[in-house]
Amino acid sequence: MRIIDHFISGGTGTATGARTHQVWNPSTGEVQAQVALGDKALLDRAVENAKKVQPQWAQTNPQRRARVMFRYKELIEANMEELARLLSSEHGKVIDDAKGDIQRGLEVIEYACGIPAVQMGQYTGGAGPGIDVYSMRQPLGIGAGITPFNFPAMIPMWMFGMAISAGNAFILKPSERDPSVPVRLAELFLEAGAPEGLLQVVHGDKEMVDAILDHPDIAGVSFVGSSDIAHYVYQRGVAAGKRVQAMGGAKNHGIVMPDADLDQVVNDLTGAAFGSAGERCMALPVVVPVGEDTAERLREKLIPAIRALRVGVSSDPDAHYGPVVTPEHKQRVEHWIDTAEQEGAEIVIDGRGFSLQGHENGFYVGPTLIDRVTPQMKSYQEEIFGPVLQIVRANDFEEAVRLPSEHQYGNGVAIFTRNGHAAREFAARVNVGMVGINVPIPVPVSYHSFGGWKRSAFGDTNQYGTEGLKFWTKVKTVTQRWPDGSPTGENAFVIPTMG
Ligand code: NAD
């Protein structure tokens, strides 16, 4: 069986210890590889390598750091097809979604190509008599990233794109469920001209995460994953004196106002709720039609659109979405559909027990539509993270603002309307971090920044953009005064001359 190894100081063949974790091919239901699970000793080695290379990298001028990012961008583009196939085979998302995953990460690399301007300091001349003040942003030193399975390319690039371009060394602990693309990303970074040890990948589970959180030489930790673990990571990392940002789960709502273009909404919803089998933290798994009439008209249009969705193996170019990531996750999604049914919701389209002909062992869940869901239901309150769309009917605009605002998660939300006033009012009042207006998945572009509110994010800095730079750097402020006149006598300063 193929072993997926760590990537330490530019080399593989570093697997230590006997523990491994199976990596599935979710489309076929077969185990395709084992990933090595690292321990504290392995992390210590990675940190020692990072310590050797980071100070010099931090002193490398920003133009040179940017040049590595430029070459990296080109290499990723040149390897897009191979990376997308590898990603799709371990995650289960279709090839187009896999390319989107890589592309959205690449956009942060593009932003990082501008690091000389992004990291520029501030200066005040004459802050006092003969006094100037300047501030600069210096790297933290060694940063670490702990990432989820659902975006194995984008989320690592969000983190190390910013961290490394700003002068840090970076240790990535990707999800053990789809670890191959993160390793390829690190190999390509070396090929782009980065020094060995600057970007390393250590695989592992809780044991490795704890070792990272406790390591005295790791100054900053960025985490993305489910909320309970995000909270744990945040608390443990902060207790160890680190800077920590920890993004968690989501349950994003799409508000549909009576004046919305329903054909457009249905088109957007089928992509946003079912694309990537719903395994996106910015998916739209809850739709909130405002008024009974809107609800009935929407439901009538949604049913045939959802029935027309094609589920297939991840390499099928005609499939709208592929399998979910593991057999346990399939069970979990189906359990939430059972729960909704027991709670009294109406299962309009039932994706449980779905089997794909010729791939009966794959981890497929059929598209599911659940109506008459209420805020009291557990299946509404918790994240399902599967191809399941829930309808929660709101009586009026006020109730539609209240639902996402009072939900425990506050990652993203969207409103569909032709009324500018309603949209503006909604965006200003809703208690959620990222808002789409007639945009179903409002993931901000790389020069803004990404972050939810409430239990969707712990810590106070967002991912990428200037927020990302802030997270991975610390401010140093220099106040300087150069008194007039030079020393005389034997202390006189003489300008050296040639020869
Ligand atoms: P997860 O929480 O299971 O795993 C995330 C990381 O934590 C992985 O690297 C994993 O190895 C590690 N981990 C797992 N168990 C751990 C433990 N007990 N202690 C310490 N570390 C542990 O998340 P996942 O299933 O890989 O990803 C899906 C989740 O991520 C969803 O909840 C989704 O909403 C969320 N997500 C959030 C965002 C965001 O930006 N808010 C983006 C993508 C995904």
Side-chain angles (χ1 to χ4, degrees):
M1 173 89 33
R2 185 164 59 93
I3 298 284
I4 299 166
D5 211 339
H6 313 282
F7 188 77
I8 301 288
S9 192
T12 51
T14 49
T16 56
R19 292 201 314 130
T20 59
H21 186 268
Q22 78 275 17
V23 176
W24 297 99
N25 178 339
S27 294
T28 61
E30 288 157 356
V31 174
Q32 55 171 318
Q34 294 285 334
V35 59
L37 297 179
D39 52 15
K40 184 176 173 308
L42 183 94
L43 180 69
D44 285 342
R45 281 171 50 200
V47 170
E48 286 312 308
N49 296 333
K51 274 161 83 172
K52 281 187 206 132
V53 73
Q54 190 271 332
Q56 203 185 340
W57 177 248
Q59 282 163 29
T60 302
N61 72 43
Q63 310 87 286
R64 282 181 193 271
R65 281 187 262 132
R67 268 174 225 145
V68 174
M69 304 314 281
F70 272 112
R71 283 195 293 272
Y72 189 47
K73 166 184 146 56
E74 284 172 4
L75 273 173
I76 290 177
E77 280 165 349
N79 287 275
M80 177 67 89
E81 213 50 56
E82 174 229 319
L83 287 167
R85 291 203 173 274
L86 188 59
L87 195 160
S88 162
S89 77
E90 290 183 359
H91 178 287
K93 62 175 79 176
V94 297
I95 301 287
D96 275 355
D97 277 335
K99 286 183 180 164
D101 186 334
I102 300 161
Q103 179 59 33
R104 290 312 296 260
L106 195 54
E107 288 168 13
V108 174
I109 304 298
E110 284 171 351
Y111 179 73
C113 290
I115 199 70
V118 170
Q119 202 173 355
M120 206 150 56
Q122 292 177 318
Y123 182 87
T124 304
I131 293 180
D132 309 315
V133 181
Y134 61 93
S135 303
M136 56 187 138
R137 290 206 157 265
Q138 295 192 328
L140 300 181
I142 302 175
I146 301 160
T147 53
F149 81 86
N150 69 322
F151 280 98
M154 177 182 81
I155 294 177
M157 283 192 267
W158 282 359
M159 297 177 181
F160 72 71
M162 294 310 301
I164 292 182
S165 62
N168 297 283
F170 195 86
I171 297 173
L172 172 65
K173 204 305 284 173
S175 171
E176 60 277 38
R177 291 182 240 172
D178 45 11
S180 290
V181 165
V183 172
R184 279 298 290 142
L185 291 177
E187 286 170 352
L188 290 171
F189 200 55
L190 202 62
E191 222 179 289
E196 284 186 6
L198 197 61
L199 173 58
Q200 303 178 89
V201 181
V202 294
H203 300 295
D205 51 15
K206 180 170 171 22
E207 183 178 339
M208 180 57 87
V209 171
D210 287 348
I212 290 172
L213 295 172
D214 297 343
H215 203 293
D217 295 328
I218 295 177
V221 175
S222 182
F223 173 92
V224 177
S226 50
S227 287
D228 287 347
I229 298 175
H231 192 223
Y232 164 78
V233 163
Y234 183 73
Q235 286 185 318
R236 187 160 176 158
V238 167
K242 298 184 198 317
R243 189 176 286 192
V244 184
Q245 56 177 191
M247 275 60 192
K251 187 96 177 195
N252 307 322
H253 296 52
I255 312 303
V256 182
M257 295 298 286
D259 66 346
D261 173 350
L262 287 191
D263 291 322
Q264 185 63 45
V265 170
V266 166
N267 191 43
D268 285 350
L269 276 177
T270 48
F274 300 99
S276 213
E279 293 169 322
R280 291 183 182 136
C281 66
M282 286 297 272
L284 264 194
V286 177
V287 61
V288 182
V290 175
E292 276 304 306
D293 176 61
T294 315
E296 288 307 319
R297 287 188 293 126
L298 180 69
R299 176 179 157 137
E300 200 174 300
K301 284 180 187 280
L302 268 174
I303 291 171
I306 293 172
R307 287 201 197 284
L309 288 171
R310 180 183 159 105
V311 184
V313 294
S314 68
S315 57
D316 176 352
D318 296 323
H320 292 102
Y321 72 87
V324 298
V325 67
T326 57
E328 296 79 26
H329 193 56
K330 176 178 157 85
Q331 264 177 17
R332 194 186 120 95
V333 173
E334 294 193 341
H335 156 80
W336 279 119
I337 305 172
D338 293 343
T339 305
E341 190 171 45
Q342 286 152 16
E343 290 175 319
E346 179 193 353
I347 313 294
V348 182
I349 301 175
D350 191 350
R352 287 172 293 189
F354 181 94
S355 170
L356 187 69
Q357 213 183 359
H359 300 280
E360 288 76 7
N361 294 327
F363 316 138
Y364 300 94
V365 180
T368 300
L369 179 66
I370 309 180
D371 196 0
R372 304 194 183 277
V373 173
T374 66
Q376 292 71 37
M377 293 179 180
K378 203 85 185 128
S379 62
Y380 166 76
Q381 293 159 3
E382 300 296 331
E383 181 179 44
I384 297 179
F385 222 54
V388 179
L389 178 61
Q390 293 175 296
I391 303 179
V392 182
R393 297 166 180 236
N395 288 320
D396 53 27
F397 177 75
E398 287 303 320
E399 194 181 346
V401 179
R402 214 164 46 239
L403 282 165
S405 296
E406 289 179 356
H407 201 280
Q408 63 163 330
Y409 295 117
N411 216 37
V413 69
I415 183 165
F416 300 92
T417 181
R418 291 183 169 98
N419 183 321
H421 177 72
R424 187 173 181 278
E425 188 71 11
F426 180 80
R429 285 173 48 194
V430 72
N431 188 17
V432 171
M434 291 173 281
V435 181
I437 297 174
N438 297 313
V439 171
I441 304 186
V443 175
V445 289
S446 62
Y447 38 97
H448 283 259
S449 71
F450 183 105
W453 289 2
K454 298 178 281 181
R455 276 180 58 77
S456 292
F458 304 93
D460 49 19
T461 347
N462 280 1
Q463 297 279 349
Y464 62 81
T466 48
E467 288 275 299
L469 180 84
K470 258 193 203 164
F471 182 77
W472 293 111
T473 55
K474 53 196 173 189
V475 179
K476 181 178 280 177
T477 307
V478 180
T479 303
Q480 65 177 7
R481 182 159 65 91
W482 296 99
D484 192 17
S486 307
T488 52
E490 63 182 21
N491 292 327
F493 174 68
V494 179
I495 296 176
T497 51
M498 298 290 287

